[in-house]
Amino acid sequence: MKGPNGLGKPVRRVVIAGGGTAGWMAAACIAKVLGKRLDIKLVESDEIGTVGVGEATIPTLLNFHHLLEINEQEFMAETKATFKLGISFENWRNVNEDYIHSFGLTGTDHWTAGFQHFWHKGRERGLAGDYGDYCLELRAAQENKFAHLPQNGRNFGMNYAYHLDASAYARYLRRFSERFGVERVEGKIVDVTASALTGHIRSITLDSGVDIEGDLFIDCTGFRGLLIGQALGVEYEDWSEWLFNDSAAALQTASVGDAIPLTRSIAHPFGWQWRIPLQHRVGNGIVFSSRYVAEDEAIQALLGNVEGEALMKPRVIKFTPGQRKQVWKGNVVAVGLSSGFLEPIESTSIHLIQRSIIRLMQMFPTNGIAQTDIDEFNRQAAMEVEHIRDFIILHYKVNNRIDAPYWMDARNMAVPKSLQHRIDLFRETGRVFRIPNELFAENSWIQVMLGQGIMPLRHHQTADLMGDEELSHFLGGIKGQVDRTVAGLPPHQAYVERYCAAP
Ligand code: FAD
């Protein structure tokens, strides 16, 4: 029912269904930013538990923590976190061929042509090293080093993210949220009551018989999508024609050496395997397509390729790659796995959680829910995830592997036009343009396109204006600065130990 302002009723009672990473991130942010005006309850079920994975992040998480005024040392100590400078892609382009997609810039910003054009000219003239030689984060990762480097008085001189213990992170955010007034309710949601008139959800019922009423519901129930899918019937768009993986097996092992500041992503003939080094253990898992391999075989491949003693039995997780057709419907906003999931490569899911929460803050329906806000929210969410989808498909589409049908089929598949255009443009001209508001910047696209095996045919004419001596001086200057900085960095493991010892 609409009020005199054309809106629904004011929102005072927020109910968050589910307490995984999504639920507690939502609770923490809403409570910190708007807590004084709202009554916030979070319902979770210890019996059901969380998906228990999602331990690699990207640098945008620092912005989220900045907003929450989280103390980094305390957060890292409590979540047993390490620093992450990028992802090592092993056997992806071809068996025994590796590359790193790192955070940060490669080379310098140039106003007419990107650094890749100068590097490309340098390669042709025999004056340039590997593309990664000009990236501080990549070189530091290769040397297993890390430090916070000051830039403009802030600690963002080196672009980094974290590897973190997902369960410890949820616990950490729970304590944070409770300090800001969030009430946690333990129990299993067994029923949902909606208004026959508006279709809005009125309350959820727990197995204890307790009803919890709300004005706005945030569905963080994971793959179940209890409110958005089961109660409101919002359909799911299936993207498995481009993203073949639909299963994973996760396994935690004891650490056997120093934690490296890289997520390792090791390709197999039917998928890929992750290794995420934390302070106290290593997170491992294998992501695969059930169309190409039997579950047992995938698990054996995982077990045969971990270091350190297994701390649990492998846990299988099934998923459908894709996205809800609407992530906000009526008075339900889906955040996290309930809204969709592509696959773990490139660690974008926690980022998307954070983006949904920030977007909700920007459009928070304090004075009532407006359909225009819902439409805009859904439009932005769809666009954002489609860009990420294209970037992820790129990793599969462009490969030179001839050893397995999985990789050959990926190479031969038709991809979205938006992606095909970017691949063609880069191959022919070396040009890449970031679409406004898309997550991955030019340097990410370039690193992955080069890494997966596309070498542009040409470079921008600006690079030709430089003679060999000038170009050599230009490239050498950048490389020299990167090398000197890396030489002065401490080992990553020692830095983490020192940093987390004194929160
Ligand atoms: P969940 O963790 O599943 O939480 C759901 C919550 O809802 C739980 O608290 C549960 O108890 C509750 N719940 C469900 N049903 C009920 C009910 N009936 N009653 C009461 N409570 C209920 N993301 C990254 O960013 N980086 C990664 O490296 C990464 N790796 C991944 C690897 C795999 C194999 C998978 C599958 C995902 C990965 N993700 C990753 C995604 C990431 O795990 C999720 O985005 C993140 O954990 C958030 O999950 P969630 O909170 O939406 O769901």
Side-chain angles (χ1 to χ4, degrees):
M1 181 97 66
K2 285 187 179 158
N5 54 3
L7 304 171
K9 61 180 181 171
V11 169
R12 296 286 176 268
R13 299 166 304 171
V14 176
V15 178
I16 300 169
T21 304
W24 285 114
M25 282 177 79
C29 189
I30 299 171
K32 174 80 169 54
V33 178
L34 295 170
K36 288 188 185 131
R37 312 180 60 135
L38 300 171
D39 165 29
I40 308 167
K41 289 191 172 65
L42 183 146
V43 182
E44 67 177 328
S45 158
D46 280 343
E47 191 190 319
I48 293 175
T50 67
V51 70
V53 283
E55 307 205 312
T57 68
I58 56 175
T60 51
L61 190 64
L62 272 75
N63 301 333
F64 188 71
H65 287 181
H66 191 63
L67 174 69
L68 299 188
E69 296 179 288
I70 279 178
N71 175 307
E72 187 182 61
Q73 281 172 289
E74 178 194 273
F75 147 75
M76 288 192 66
E78 293 201 19
T79 62
K80 304 287 182 211
T82 60
F83 294 102
K84 171 181 171 187
L85 292 170
I87 304 171
S88 166
F89 284 93
E90 302 168 26
N91 303 332
W92 276 73
R93 175 173 61 225
N94 213 337
V95 178
N96 296 325
E97 292 183 31
D98 306 342
Y99 71 98
I100 292 175
H101 170 201
S102 71
F103 305 135
L105 260 187
T106 303
T108 55
D109 267 334
H110 196 282
W111 64 273
T112 43
F115 173 77
Q116 76 272 18
H117 296 281
F118 298 88
W119 171 80
H120 188 267
K121 164 88 188 280
R123 286 287 282 197
E124 273 184 3
R125 307 290 304 151
L127 304 169
D130 288 342
Y131 187 69
D133 289 355
Y134 306 89
C135 177
L136 174 61
E137 288 82 355
L138 190 147
R139 289 284 302 114
Q142 283 177 323
E143 300 282 329
N144 204 358
K145 289 179 161 188
F146 182 84
H148 290 92
L149 296 179
Q151 187 192 44
N152 304 326
R154 292 165 62 212
N155 279 339
F156 288 102
M158 191 135 70
N159 211 357
Y160 64 89
Y162 312 105
H163 299 124
L164 50 81
D165 178 323
S167 308
Y169 188 48
R171 285 196 297 274
Y172 177 76
L173 290 177
R174 173 180 166 185
R175 283 193 296 278
F176 180 99
S177 307
E178 287 175 337
R179 278 207 305 278
F180 283 90
V182 174
E183 184 190 338
R184 176 189 184 272
V185 183
E186 167 63 33
K188 219 192 276 184
I189 302 163
V190 290
D191 203 7
V192 177
T193 308
S195 150
L197 194 61
T198 61
H200 283 202
I201 289 182
R202 245 197 238 135
S203 64
I204 52 178
T205 307
L206 306 188
D207 50 356
S208 59
V210 168
D211 275 338
I212 299 182
E213 294 188 344
D215 305 316
L216 181 71
F217 290 80
I218 316 219
D219 186 348
C220 299
T221 58
F223 287 128
R224 287 176 181 78
L226 222 58
L227 308 185
I228 196 83
Q230 290 184 29
L232 297 188
V234 174
E235 286 174 32
Y236 195 85
E237 204 173 325
D238 181 337
W239 287 339
S240 52
E241 68 179 292
W242 303 302
L243 299 169
F244 299 174
N245 298 332
D246 57 11
S247 314
L251 174 71
Q252 298 171 359
T253 56
S255 309
V256 290
D258 288 353
I260 60 169
L262 278 174
T263 304
R264 285 184 66 190
S265 166
I266 306 157
H268 284 269
F270 45 75
W272 62 276
Q273 174 187 349
W274 76 80
R275 273 195 209 161
I276 299 177
L278 305 176
Q279 289 179 37
H280 58 317
R281 62 164 170 82
V282 176
N284 306 270
I286 196 152
V287 189
F288 57 96
S289 168
S290 61
R291 281 183 274 162
Y292 291 84
V293 69
E295 193 175 294
D296 283 356
E297 195 185 328
I299 291 174
Q300 286 314 312
L302 172 67
L303 291 171
N305 198 27
V306 290
E307 297 167 329
E309 185 197 341
L311 304 175
M312 59 187 277
K313 285 210 168 92
R315 206 160 48 81
V316 174
I317 303 164
K318 297 277 183 194
F319 59 90
T320 305
Q323 177 75 356
R324 288 266 168 219
K325 290 189 175 162
Q326 291 159 278
V327 288
W328 183 348
K329 182 175 178 190
N331 64 342
V332 174
V333 182
V335 176
L337 297 173
S338 63
S339 70
F341 181 60
L342 300 172
E343 72 135 278
I345 200 69
E346 294 290 355
S347 327
T348 54
S349 192
I350 294 174
H351 165 82
L352 285 168
I353 292 173
Q354 156 186 349
R355 288 290 306 136
S356 299
I357 297 168
I358 299 297
R359 190 175 297 122
L360 180 60
M361 293 294 94
Q362 289 167 341
M363 301 186 195
F364 199 84
T366 309
N367 298 319
I369 294 169
Q371 189 59 43
T372 44
D373 273 342
I374 296 181
D375 294 344
E376 180 59 18
F377 191 97
N378 286 328
R379 191 189 68 81
Q380 289 186 18
M383 226 167 50
E384 192 163 41
V385 81
E386 280 168 24
H387 293 149
I388 293 175
R389 176 199 67 193
D390 281 6
F391 185 64
I392 291 178
I393 298 171
L394 169 70
H395 296 63
Y396 294 96
K397 169 71 181 168
V398 182
N399 80 80
N400 295 328
R401 290 186 63 145
I402 50 163
D403 60 310
Y406 172 92
W407 291 100
M408 293 189 287
D409 289 351
R411 186 164 59 244
N412 292 330
M413 73 181 158
V415 296
K417 278 192 192 132
S418 43
L419 172 61
Q420 191 60 53
H421 168 69
R422 286 192 194 232
I423 292 173
D424 295 343
L425 185 68
F426 184 71
R427 186 174 275 127
E428 283 167 31
T429 69
R431 290 193 245 285
V432 178
F433 297 99
R434 184 184 198 171
I435 298 167
N437 294 326
E438 83 169 317
L439 169 62
F440 290 102
E442 286 89 344
N443 196 42
S444 288
W445 284 92
I446 294 165
Q447 287 186 80
V448 174
M449 289 206 262
L450 288 175
Q452 290 291 138
I454 307 176
M455 182 56 73
L457 295 171
R458 300 196 298 276
H459 49 254
H460 193 281
Q461 58 188 358
T462 306
D464 288 326
L465 299 177
M466 277 194 189
D468 280 3
E469 201 178 322
E470 193 185 351
L471 185 60
S472 178
H473 183 72
F474 171 66
L475 294 170
I478 297 169
K479 184 172 180 317
Q481 196 182 351
V482 167
D483 288 347
R484 282 190 299 280
T485 308
V486 172
L489 294 173
H492 170 251
Q493 173 80 27
Y495 190 84
V496 171
E497 282 171 13
R498 219 173 35 242
Y499 192 62
C500 292

